[in-house]
């Protein structure tokens, strides 16, 4: 795989920074359409529909949107600050929530694992926070005044993978993340 991109809502896509005069094979991963259900015959006697009220999630100040709406974490690759394709899917869900709650303001908090120096990790996490914010503004149309972004380096690790502690790649991955904390609802 040379490059992976997500299509827009209309199926459009583009590749940047690829070599000219070179042949490429483009593969598409298109989800199968939902099957059309068979019609169910109506009951002989009319039945009153049961009204089920959907409980709205509680979007309270201090909560993490990913946890409130059961979203997958936004992870980053080692030593990188670009938005991965799997993170784009979750960011689209954040955009949807922010559009549903137009008064909502969030604090994007980005983190690193413990590898590299504290100073470097502060800089890297700040780039991750800015990259996440840029995506929400440019790709999601979210107003920048509804967002703030800060990097926390390795100060808020989710596990015991501190400096000098041997950990697996997957354990380190848990710490390379962005969180979306509600600061105004």
């Amino acid at each position: 795989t040379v490059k992976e991109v997500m299509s827009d809502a209309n199926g459009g896509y583009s590749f940047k920074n690829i070599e000219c005069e070179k042949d490429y094979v483009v593969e598409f991963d298109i989800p199968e359409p939902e099957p059309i259900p068979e019609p169910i015959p109506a009951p002989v006697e009319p039945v009153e529909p049961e009204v089920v009220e959907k409980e709205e999630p509680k979007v309270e100040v201090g909560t993490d949107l990913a946890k409130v709406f059961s979203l997958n974490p936004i992870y980053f690759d080692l030593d990188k600050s670009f938005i991965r394709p799997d993170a784009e899917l979750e960011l689209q869900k954040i955009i949807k929530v922010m559009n549903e709650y137009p008064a909502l303001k969030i604090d994007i908090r980005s983190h690193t694992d413990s590898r590299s120096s504290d100073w470097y990790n502060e800089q890297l996490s700040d780039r991750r926070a800015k990259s996440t914010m840029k995506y929400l503004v440019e790709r999601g149309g979210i107003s920048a005044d509804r967002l703030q972004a800060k990097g926390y380096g390795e100060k808020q690790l989710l596990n015991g993978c501190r400096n000098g502690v041997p950990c697996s790649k997957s354990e380190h991955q848990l710490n390379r993340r962005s969180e979306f904390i509600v600061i105004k609802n």
Side-chain angles (χ1 to χ4, degrees):
T1 301
V2 175
K3 203 171 266 268
E4 291 183 12
V5 297
M6 298 284 297
S7 65
D8 61 22
N10 297 320
Y13 64 93
S14 65
F15 294 102
K16 295 178 184 172
N17 302 326
I18 59 173
E19 295 178 33
C20 295
E21 300 182 10
K22 191 172 182 182
D23 293 331
Y24 293 91
V25 175
V26 178
E27 294 183 38
F28 298 92
D29 185 12
I30 302 169
E32 292 291 322
E34 293 288 331
I36 299 171
E38 292 290 323
I40 300 171
V44 178
E45 295 180 28
V47 176
E48 289 292 320
E50 183 179 335
V51 178
V52 178
E53 293 196 23
K54 185 179 174 187
E55 188 175 317
E56 285 286 319
K58 291 187 180 188
V59 183
E60 297 175 355
V61 172
T63 59
D64 185 346
L65 284 184
K67 292 178 182 164
V68 173
F69 291 95
S70 301
L71 305 178
N72 293 320
I74 308 298
Y75 289 127
F76 292 90
D77 288 337
L78 176 64
D79 198 32
K80 303 290 186 228
S81 59
F82 65 85
I83 303 299
R84 299 180 347 185
D86 60 324
E88 280 191 72
L89 296 172
E90 301 310 310
L91 286 172
Q92 288 298 321
K93 296 173 187 175
I94 296 286
I95 291 165
K96 183 179 179 193
V97 168
M98 293 201 70
N99 286 330
E100 288 176 13
Y101 296 85
L104 194 65
K105 291 186 178 184
I106 61 171
D107 180 24
I108 301 164
R109 298 179 184 178
S110 294
H111 309 274
T112 65
D113 60 33
S114 63
R115 295 177 285 186
S116 293
S117 71
D118 292 351
W119 178 86
Y120 179 79
N121 283 337
E122 290 286 330
Q123 303 302 312
L124 177 59
S125 64
D126 192 55
R127 288 194 308 272
R128 288 175 176 171
K130 288 177 180 169
S131 174
T132 303
M133 182 173 173
K134 181 179 177 183
Y135 184 95
L136 294 174
V137 171
E138 292 181 2
R139 300 284 297 276
I142 303 300
S143 175
D145 66 353
R146 296 178 63 199
L147 306 168
Q148 62 187 39
K150 183 175 181 203
Y152 290 83
E154 59 184 86
K155 293 177 185 167
Q156 298 179 4
L157 300 172
L158 294 178
N159 53 28
C161 295
R162 300 185 185 338
N163 291 341
V165 174
C167 291
S168 68
K169 289 180 181 182
S170 61
E171 288 172 318
H172 281 300
Q173 172 70 87
L174 294 174
N175 294 313
R176 298 190 309 264
R177 68 201 189 279
S178 280
E179 300 169 314
F180 305 90
I181 308 302
V182 176
I183 55 176
K184 182 176 185 274
N185 55 358

